[in-house]
């Protein structure tokens, strides 16, 4: 049997949050390319005809769309109940939905803090808890969080984001410790500086842009497509003995 068969996701169902653009779009498309059907959710995802739905269906895979306001706890509970009722088996969960608010710590409002922590951490715990319980009962599954370089570093003017992503690293390990023995692998991917909406302000600032590029050994901003291989690896048998880990995809930033 070829090692490539270990990356095959045929017959699997993958729930991907924040799938409508950027890294989430690329990861959902990659999982479909590897054979998985996609259950996609974002705050504004159309029920039919979205770009990600068209991309997945063009690959011959099924795409089911949901909307959820991840900043609203009741909406998250309602979504989770609905998706688990409609999909008796979910093999892969990718917790990618996220947000960021930029302001110096002394000016960072309660509202900004609460929104970021609710979207980036609280909603992801609720969804992981409910889907993870199902995975434990079915005897296996893969959960993948989108972490960040700020899982390891403090960043500048993004205290809520840094706190939430630091907590995602700890949550990855905590869930792995409890569920690995039941066949549920829990890992995270920590993106570096990627050309997405979240980094537009940095890329538009000539000084910060050059400071960032100067530290990246590869000398470029990452692209969403750089996450296709890593997500398929973590979602598949190829990473069967890997759990509780945070995989950095950063052009070498953390090694600098």
């Amino acid at each position: 049997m070829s090692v490539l068969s270990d990356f095959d996701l045929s017959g699997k169902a993958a729930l991907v949050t924040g799938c409508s653009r950027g890294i989430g779009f690329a990861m959902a498309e990659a999982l479909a390319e590897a054979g998985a059907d996609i259950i996609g959710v974002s705050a504004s995802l159309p029920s039919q005809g979205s770009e990600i739905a068209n991309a997945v269906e063009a690959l011959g895979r099924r795409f089911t769309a949901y909307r959820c306001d991840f900043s609203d706890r009741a909406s998250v509970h309602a979504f989770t109940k609905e998706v688990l009722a409609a999909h008796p088996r979910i093999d892969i969960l990718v917790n990618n939905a996220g947000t960021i608010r930029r302001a110096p710590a002394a000016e960072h409002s309660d509202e900004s803090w609460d929104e970021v922590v609710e979207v980036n951490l609280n909603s992801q715990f609720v969804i992981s808890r409910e889907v993870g319980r199902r995975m434990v009962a079915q005897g296996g599954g893969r959960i993948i969080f989108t972490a960040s370089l700020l899982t390891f570093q403090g960043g500048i003017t993004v205290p809520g984001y840094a706190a939430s992503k630091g907590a995602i690293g700890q949550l990855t390990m905590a869930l792995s410790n409890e569920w690995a023995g039941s066949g549920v692998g829990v890992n995270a991917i920590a993106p570096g500086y990627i050309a997405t909406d979240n980094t537009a302000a940095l890329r538009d600032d000539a000084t910060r842009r050059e400071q960032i590029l100067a530290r990246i050994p590869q000398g470029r901003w990452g692209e969403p497509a750089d996450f296709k291989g890593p997500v398929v690896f973590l979602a598949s048998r190829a990473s069967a003995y890997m759990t509780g880990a945070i995989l950095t995809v950063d052009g070498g930033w953390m090694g600098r």
Side-chain angles (χ1 to χ4, degrees):
M1 182 180 295
S2 168
V3 68
L4 294 179
S5 66
D6 286 340
F7 294 87
D8 183 14
L9 299 177
S10 297
K12 304 293 186 181
L15 170 57
V16 184
T17 73
C19 67
S20 62
R21 63 183 187 273
I23 292 172
F25 185 109
M27 291 197 293
E29 185 175 46
L31 295 171
E33 289 171 348
D37 293 321
I38 306 300
I39 305 159
V41 56
S42 74
S44 58
L45 189 66
S47 59
Q48 294 182 343
S50 66
E51 185 178 357
I52 184 57
N54 292 339
V56 169
E57 290 168 354
L59 294 165
R61 313 302 176 200
R62 289 191 296 273
F63 184 88
T64 309
Y66 291 88
R67 284 190 183 185
C68 179
D69 179 358
F70 297 101
S71 69
D72 180 74
R73 189 74 60 90
S75 177
V76 172
H77 280 290
F79 158 70
T80 306
K81 182 177 180 180
E82 181 182 8
V83 78
L84 286 173
H87 303 274
R89 185 180 181 94
I90 296 174
D91 303 286
I92 302 155
L93 168 61
V94 180
N95 282 304
N96 174 72
T99 193
I100 191 168
R101 294 289 179 265
R102 297 182 185 276
E107 302 167 15
H108 207 78
S109 68
D110 289 357
E111 291 77 16
S112 291
W113 175 277
D114 289 345
E115 179 189 8
V116 170
V117 171
E118 192 66 36
V119 172
N120 292 3
L121 178 61
N122 295 343
S123 71
Q124 298 196 23
F125 172 69
V126 171
I127 294 170
S128 297
R129 180 187 64 204
E130 300 304 311
V131 175
R133 183 186 297 120
R134 177 73 61 82
M135 289 178 172
V136 168
Q138 71 194 21
R142 306 295 289 178
I143 297 176
I144 304 162
F145 289 96
T146 297
S148 169
L149 293 183
L150 300 195
T151 301
F152 313 102
Q153 301 175 325
I156 301 171
T157 71
V158 286
Y161 185 83
S164 67
K165 291 300 185 178
I168 285 295
Q170 294 300 115
L171 182 59
T172 297
M173 292 183 282
L175 297 182
S176 174
N177 289 343
E178 293 197 32
W179 294 342
S182 298
V184 180
V186 186
N187 295 289
I189 297 174
Y193 286 91
I194 313 302
T196 65
D197 293 348
N198 274 1
T199 60
L202 296 176
R203 288 180 287 116
D204 290 342
D205 182 327
T207 300
R208 285 289 287 137
R209 183 177 65 243
E210 293 308 313
Q211 288 173 340
I212 289 167
L213 283 174
R215 177 171 166 164
I216 301 172
Q218 285 195 359
R220 69 174 178 90
W221 291 77
E223 298 291 339
D226 291 319
F227 295 85
K228 285 190 163 189
V231 77
V232 171
F233 169 62
L234 291 179
S236 69
R237 289 191 306 273
S239 61
Y241 199 56
M242 185 173 178
T243 189
I246 304 172
L247 182 64
T248 56
V249 181
D250 62 356
W253 176 281
M254 288 300 296
R256 191 63 176 259

